[in-house]
Amino acid sequence: METPGLVVHGEAAPFSTALRSLLNNPQYSDVCFVVGQERQEVFAHRCLLACRCNFFQRLLGPKLGSGMPSPVVLSTVPAEAFLAVLEFLYTNSVRLHRHSVAVTFGLGLLQERCIAFIEAHSQEALRTRGFLELSAPALLSLLRSDKLRVDEAELVLAARSWARVGAAVLERPVAEVAAPVVRELRLALLAPAELSALEEQNQREPLIPVEQIVEAWKCHALRRGDAARGAPCRRRRGTLPREHHCFLDLPFK
């Protein structure tokens, strides 16, 4: 049996620095992206992106052919967020800012880090432009988190703002844009007065399905947690205490 050879590990920092020098560098680049509404040009390297991310592997596959292909247009992706993703792919690290945590392109580890960052800075993140530009799947992942440090009433307001922006951009009804994500809003955590106000506003500007509001009222009517136990009633880290929460009997996870 052949004896394994000696494995020599170089220093990670110089390697990362060298790869960072290739980030958005037209030298040796073989693909160009046109990103965001500002149509900013971003230069990259197909082999590196394809081996690091399935999204880019599919996007930059053989159909593009050899040589320098036509620019790949990603008009709905903010340039700052796109560059943050590329930095992670090139160097395996990225400095996250509350203004740039928006898009993850299916990168599991980066998505987890982005969600953890937003969980720790929930209220600040909800007020950024980046939040309003989140994709529906990205917002869905956030709203499923128990660790958001924000009250449910603020999340409802933030979801409405997000849906309004999407409705204006896509020229679709607010309720239609919001449909993929509002199911994760935990309306049963709201006090009766808050739920009544939400119901009135929902009549003026539909956002949440009526049956979802009805289910929240059932939790109040039952005044017990057994029939309502589950994510719709589970408190988040930032949930403010309300009198009816004692009936839900839901511990923090």
Side-chain angles (χ1 to χ4, degrees), residues 73-119:
V73 179
L74 300 173
S75 58
T76 61
V77 180
E80 185 179 4
F82 185 73
L83 286 168
V85 170
L86 291 193
E87 183 180 357
F88 181 82
L89 292 177
Y90 275 70
T91 68
N92 213 36
S93 65
V94 63
R95 183 179 297 277
L96 297 176
H97 302 280
R98 62 191 62 173
H99 297 290
S100 63
V101 180
V103 187
T104 60
F105 296 99
L107 294 171
L109 178 58
L110 182 56
Q111 185 180 55
E112 292 173 9
R113 299 285 174 84
C114 288
I115 290 176
F117 181 90
I118 295 176
E119 287 170 342

Side-chain angles (χ1 to χ4, degrees), residues 3 12 22 33 56 63-64 67 73 76 112 117 120 128-129 143 151 158 171 216 224 243 246 249-251 253:
T3 304
L22 296 176
F33 296 90
F56 286 111
K63 63 182 180 180
L64 289 184
V73 179
T76 61
E112 292 173 9
F117 181 90
T128 65
R129 175 185 172 185
L143 293 180
D151 187 62
E171 297 183 347
R224 54 186 297 180
E243 183 178 355
C246 62
D249 188 30
L250 295 169
K253 292 287 183 178

